[in-house]
Amino acid sequence: MNKKETNFLNSKLTELVDNGIITDIQFIAAKEHFGTKKESKSLSTVFGAIGIFLIALSIITLFAMNWNNIAKGLKVIISFVPLAITAYMLHEYMYKGNKKLQLYTSIFAPVSIIATNSLIAQIFHIQTEIYELFFTSLLMFLPIAFILFNKLSVLVYSVGTVIYSLVAINSYTAESEALLKTFILALPIIIANFINYRKDKNDDKNILMWITNVILVTLFISHKEWINPESILMYLYMLYFLTQTLFDKTNPLNKVLSFAFMFYLLLSCTTAEMLEFTEELVIHVDTLLFAALAGVFIYLSEAYKNPKEYFIFAFIALAQFTGLQAEFLFVLVNLIAISLGIYKIVIGNQKNSYPEIKQGVSLVLLIIMFRFISAELSFGIKSILFLIAGTCFLLSGKVIKKKIGGNKND
Amino acid sequence: MIKLPFKKFVIYVITMFMLFFIPIYTIAINSNTLKDGTEFLFEVQAYDPYDMFRGNYLRVTFKEDTVPAYSNFLDLNYNDPCYVTIGVRPNGFAYFKHISKERPTNTSDYYETTASYYSWAKEYSVETPTRYYMNENKSLAAEKYLNDNIENAYVKVRVKNGKMVLVGIYVNNMLIDTID
């Protein structure tokens, strides 16, 4: 089978599993029959990439810990090392077509760009705010994302745009300036959408879905009252499941309701003040409408068959409805989210269900990123934690590859 | 038709230019100011926050971060760009002398910033450099030492053509990084 046929088979078999027509075991058997072990390779590669990413973070924080003992000139040279590595990786990918490097560069490049910019800002005490650092870093990453043009680089750029928008609009900067810059960052996403669609109309829908919904998230989070880590985590997680029904051709009603749901999210940004009978009543009406629409969505997408997946969503929605904002709730929510992610990885591994493993991995990674951004731990402790986490992912990738039986040439 | 390897080369070169230009430009501007800029001392006060990517830092606020505008009210809104010229008092410490919307032409000792607010005392408050990055293990102790000796604390900056770069924070004439 050639690559196009393999991609087509993979997408169709995944669709059959998602619609419950075949089981995960039949999925694996069908793929093995046609000689495709791509999925197992890609899973261990993803684990390897995550492991490398976390170990890279560990090295970076280790440098940060001993930073003051290094001479200024040497600091400047060291600060360019991440960019030099990125340049080398990109060169290897462009000239030798190494597909693994495409994935690794998608992860390493944005980290290295932020690291270099942060280090230079620290050396010269440059007075930039976090959102300005993000804006500059995203612009530097943009040409690399277009060259790589894979799911991960597009996703990283898109999520980076959302984070920029989140931080900038919630800061003291002029809101119109932040929204304009958000639009500037989001515009290449739309262009990438069209390029991808023209290239191959049967391409994996995930890119299109993530792109479309990230743009919508970027627009609606300009509503400041909703900006807190739990809300964003919930909406991103909801959008992940929402996208699976958005382009579901077998059930048009799902599509209609999905659009209605997203329209509500946008509308609520502009009409929240109009619902102001009392301050408390605004919150309750808003949350009730959200809960009702979410309930309809869960019923129609048949997510109620797996209630554990929505536990975290229900918990956060309940917390918002009852106004519980205590710090212990913050910690509990994150513990539940990471436990759910690990649970999905373990269950997915037992059932040999790659979609479940990927869901678990995406949730765990999301939590780690949020905690890295907001945690006030010392650099030494962060370095050790990231090293441990990265090593665990690398070893897990090797174990999964052995268990599923990936290609020995990987 | 351009051959594929040459096209790739051009794309790669352009990408590398976009990747390296911004950090190199930033370093060049700041290094130039540190090397050739005029030195000024400003009195300060401080507290110790945290930056998620760049670590711990001391946040200093200039004691005098306002500039009188009763003789030239400018109708500046929040975040509007402006230029302030810097003077030196007899005690050796600097202050902001004059504010304008246009770049001064008779001196290079001016600072390009943004207006913050206009007070009842007919003064504009302007944004000043506030972050001083330092070793995380020392930052808390440094903040305490700074606040305990605030009357003898000042920040040294270098100014050139609108750019102000923080050189160091000094307490009792010693650089705060060197204090145990």
Side-chain angles (χ1 to χ4, degrees), chain A residues 40-65:
Chain A
S40 63
K41 272 197 265 183
S42 88
L43 190 62
S44 63
T45 304
V46 166
F47 267 72
I50 293 167
I52 289 172
F53 166 71
L54 290 171
I55 291 173
L57 277 182
S58 168
I59 295 169
I60 289 167
T61 48
L62 197 64
F63 266 106
M65 201 170 72

Side-chain angles (χ1 to χ4, degrees), chain A residues 68 72 80 87 91 94-95 118 120 122 125-130 134 136 140 147 172 373 379 382, chain B residues 8-9 12 15-16 19 22-23 26-27 34 50-55 78 129-133 135-136:
Chain A
N68 268 68
K72 196 170 190 172
F80 276 98
H91 177 271
M94 284 179 77
Y95 283 89
S118 301
I120 291 170
Q122 206 192 61
H125 305 292
I126 294 174
Q127 310 296 312
T128 52
E129 297 297 331
I130 283 293
F134 256 94
T136 310
M140 288 165 69
I147 289 172
Y172 291 114
I373 287 169
F379 281 129
K382 270 189 191 174
Chain B
K8 264 190 191 174
F9 174 74
Y12 183 73
T15 305
M16 290 303 108
L19 192 65
I22 292 174
T26 305
I27 290 170
L34 280 172
Y50 175 77
D51 181 300
M52 61 188 76
F53 285 106
R54 293 166 286 189
Y78 176 73
T130 56
R131 298 178 181 218
Y132 185 77
Y133 294 96
N135 186 311
E136 60 170 356

Side-chain angles (χ1 to χ4, degrees), chain A residues 366-378:
Chain A
L366 210 59
I367 296 287
I368 289 174
M369 282 310 298
F370 268 112
R371 293 289 67 81
F372 171 72
I373 287 169
S374 59
E376 289 197 18
L377 297 168
S378 72

Side-chain angles (χ1 to χ4, degrees), chain A residues 8-297:
Chain A
F8 179 77
L9 177 67
N10 283 337
S11 67
K12 290 301 166 193
L13 286 175
T14 306
E15 194 181 310
L16 291 174
V17 170
D18 290 345
N19 289 318
I21 296 169
I22 63 171
T23 64
D24 295 324
I25 294 170
Q26 287 170 330
F27 169 83
I28 297 167
K31 286 179 71 173
E32 282 180 3
H33 173 75
F34 288 104
T36 60
K37 294 206 174 144
K38 187 174 173 250
E39 199 66 39
S40 63
K41 272 197 265 183
S42 88
L43 190 62
S44 63
T45 304
V46 166
F47 267 72
I50 293 167
I52 289 172
F53 166 71
L54 290 171
I55 291 173
L57 277 182
S58 168
I59 295 169
I60 289 167
T61 48
L62 197 64
F63 266 106
M65 201 170 72
N66 297 297
W67 198 240
N68 268 68
N69 301 327
I70 303 170
K72 196 170 190 172
L74 189 55
K75 282 183 192 178
V76 172
I77 293 170
I78 290 172
S79 65
F80 276 98
V81 167
L83 282 191
I85 295 173
T86 299
Y88 174 74
M89 288 169 80
L90 192 67
H91 177 271
E92 288 296 294
Y93 165 68
M94 284 179 77
Y95 283 89
K96 294 183 183 170
N98 190 327
K99 286 291 182 185
K100 259 198 200 170
L101 272 180
Q102 186 185 29
L103 176 65
Y104 294 150
T105 309
S106 303
I107 296 172
F108 186 78
V111 172
S112 69
I113 289 169
I114 288 182
T116 297
N117 289 336
S118 301
L119 290 172
I120 291 170
Q122 206 192 61
I123 294 167
F124 292 97
H125 305 292
I126 294 174
Q127 310 296 312
T128 52
E129 297 297 331
I130 283 293
Y131 55 87
E132 287 165 340
L133 179 70
F134 256 94
F135 183 74
T136 310
S137 301
L138 283 168
L139 286 180
M140 288 165 69
F141 180 61
L142 180 60
I144 296 176
F146 264 99
I147 289 172
L148 296 172
F149 211 72
N150 60 345
K151 274 186 273 189
L152 195 54
S153 61
V154 171
L155 182 62
V156 165
Y157 181 83
S158 305
V159 172
T161 302
V162 172
I163 294 175
Y164 163 79
S165 191
L166 164 73
V167 178
I169 290 170
N170 205 30
S171 72
Y172 291 114
T173 191
E175 194 166 324
S176 55
E177 181 191 329
L179 280 174
L180 175 64
K181 285 185 173 175
T182 301
F183 178 72
I184 290 170
L185 289 174
L187 193 59
I189 299 174
I190 301 168
I191 295 170
N193 200 350
F194 281 117
I195 292 174
N196 187 59
Y197 186 71
R198 280 190 64 186
K199 244 172 59 175
D200 186 351
K201 291 182 182 172
N202 293 319
D203 200 355
D204 191 336
K205 63 190 176 201
N206 282 332
I207 295 180
L208 271 168
M209 290 191 291
W210 269 106
I211 288 170
T212 310
N213 288 287
V214 162
I215 291 172
L216 290 170
V217 168
T218 306
L219 289 173
F220 91 72
I221 62 172
S222 59
H223 187 55
K224 289 186 183 185
E225 285 169 20
W226 283 3
I227 295 180
N228 60 70
E230 287 74 27
S231 295
I232 295 300
L233 185 65
M234 175 179 67
Y235 293 132
L236 285 175
Y237 201 54
M238 277 294 297
L239 283 171
Y240 179 82
F241 290 100
L242 184 72
T243 53
Q244 292 185 13
T245 59
L246 184 63
F247 291 92
D248 184 1
K249 290 171 188 167
T250 61
N251 192 342
L253 188 58
N254 278 356
K255 189 191 272 192
V256 170
L257 281 164
S258 301
F259 273 114
F261 180 62
M262 283 193 290
F263 180 71
Y264 163 73
L265 287 177
L266 285 171
L267 195 67
S268 59
C269 298
T270 53
T271 60
E273 285 88 14
M274 290 168 63
L275 298 173
E276 192 175 349
F277 300 107
T278 66
E279 197 178 294
E280 291 81 14
L281 191 57
V282 169
I283 296 169
H284 289 182
V285 167
D286 216 30
T287 309
L288 276 173
L289 280 172
F290 174 77
L293 275 169
V296 172
F297 158 71

